[in-house]
Amino acid sequence: MSDYKEPSPVNPLPPAVWLLFLALALPELAFSLAEAGLIGGAGAVGWRLNALNDYAFSGVAFDFMVENGRLLPEHMLRFVTYPFVFGSFTSFLFAGVILLAMGKMVGDVLGGWAVALVFFLCGIFGALMFGWITNESWLVGAYPSVYGLIGTYTFLYWQRQVVSGGPQGQAFMLIGVLMGIQLVFGAFFQVGYDWVGELAGFVAGFAITAIVVPGGMARVRAVLRRR
């Protein structure tokens, strides 16, 4: 009997990516079902708003802690909880797609632990920069975290282009397109300053990868010296 198995048409995702995706999807599923009146009764309509009040990153609380030199545990926790609450199902959907795509690419190269590390560290850094630079009240959703994964992917692609002698600018095409979309939407709609956290997350993902990948910082320094 042959032991040959047909290759799977879908490459498996690292477990860390699935766990992060489920952590985003399950609360959103509950909120969406509640808003559709399918679970929880009449009071369930406010589940999303309550979660945002309790777990979203608060710029007001951040400013209070900075001005008074106090670290309040209930507000420090928001640095790691805000990626898991979204303002709408559509917002979750786009973030979830980016997480699955970038998580797969990063996980295949660096491992699932790297995906989780980048996700949380970039989310924290994105919120920190958002609170420090803007006067906005709330930051919600996993976009700074998934943009961090885009930053990691960008560094890996850029490093490959450096080694192969290919056009290095191609590595930054994805983030350029996403920021361009943000600019277009900002010209026609009031979209706020969430892009500050997202761009900070991207920069953090790029920098973290340069540090942890063997030879990463050496290549960055070599490129900068040639400039």
Side-chain angles (χ1 to χ4, degrees), residues 146-197:
V146 297
Y147 269 61
L149 292 171
I150 294 174
T152 294
Y153 166 76
T154 298
F155 180 86
L156 295 173
Y157 187 17
W158 171 78
Q159 182 177 242
R160 187 174 68 185
Q161 295 295 88
V162 170
V163 172
S164 66
Q168 298 175 29
Q170 284 186 0
F172 299 89
M173 186 175 298
L174 178 57
I175 188 62
V177 169
L178 291 173
M179 287 292 103
I181 292 173
Q182 290 273 19
L183 183 63
V184 171
F185 270 85
F188 294 98
F189 306 100
Q190 188 67 31
V191 296
Y193 291 91
D194 288 5
W195 64 268
V196 172

Side-chain angles (χ1 to χ4, degrees), residues 104-136:
K104 166 63 177 171
M105 295 178 185
V106 173
D108 283 349
V109 178
L110 300 179
W113 68 270
V115 175
L117 180 69
V118 169
F119 184 93
F120 283 104
L121 290 183
C122 293
I124 292 170
F125 185 75
L128 183 63
M129 291 297 99
F130 176 86
W132 182 37
I133 294 173
T134 79
N135 292 318
E136 298 286 293

Side-chain angles (χ1 to χ4, degrees), residues 3-225:
D3 292 330
Y4 174 77
K5 295 181 180 179
E6 287 289 338
S8 172
V10 179
N11 292 329
L13 287 167
V17 178
W18 279 121
L19 289 174
L20 287 171
F21 180 79
L22 288 175
L24 302 182
L26 292 178
E28 181 56 39
L29 178 62
F31 299 149
S32 297
L33 291 176
E35 289 165 356
L38 299 177
I39 62 172
V45 176
W47 284 359
R48 186 190 300 275
L49 181 58
N50 292 336
L52 292 173
N53 286 331
D54 292 339
Y55 300 112
F57 177 77
S58 170
V60 174
F62 176 83
D63 291 340
F64 175 85
M65 289 190 292
V66 171
E67 292 167 3
N68 293 276
R70 298 175 59 190
L71 299 180
L72 304 175
E74 65 271 24
H75 294 303
M76 293 297 294
L77 187 63
R78 294 174 183 268
F79 279 92
V80 294
T81 58
Y82 83 88
F84 301 97
V85 288
F86 291 86
S88 67
F89 176 80
T90 302
S91 181
F92 153 75
L93 187 61
F94 281 107
V97 169
I98 296 174
L99 171 62
L100 293 176
M102 293 295 107
K104 166 63 177 171
M105 295 178 185
V106 173
D108 283 349
V109 178
L110 300 179
W113 68 270
V115 175
L117 180 69
V118 169
F119 184 93
F120 283 104
L121 290 183
C122 293
I124 292 170
F125 185 75
L128 183 63
M129 291 297 99
F130 176 86
W132 182 37
I133 294 173
T134 79
N135 292 318
E136 298 286 293
S137 297
W138 298 103
L139 178 64
V140 301
Y143 285 96
S145 296
V146 297
Y147 269 61
L149 292 171
I150 294 174
T152 294
Y153 166 76
T154 298
F155 180 86
L156 295 173
Y157 187 17
W158 171 78
Q159 182 177 242
R160 187 174 68 185
Q161 295 295 88
V162 170
V163 172
S164 66
Q168 298 175 29
Q170 284 186 0
F172 299 89
M173 186 175 298
L174 178 57
I175 188 62
V177 169
L178 291 173
M179 287 292 103
I181 292 173
Q182 290 273 19
L183 183 63
V184 171
F185 270 85
F188 294 98
F189 306 100
Q190 188 67 31
V191 296
Y193 291 91
D194 288 5
W195 64 268
V196 172
E198 294 161 6
L199 185 59
F202 171 84
V203 171
F206 191 93
I208 291 168
T209 313
I211 294 169
V212 302
V213 170
M217 287 302 298
R219 287 197 175 94
V220 172
R221 287 194 294 268
V223 170
L224 291 176
R225 281 196 294 268

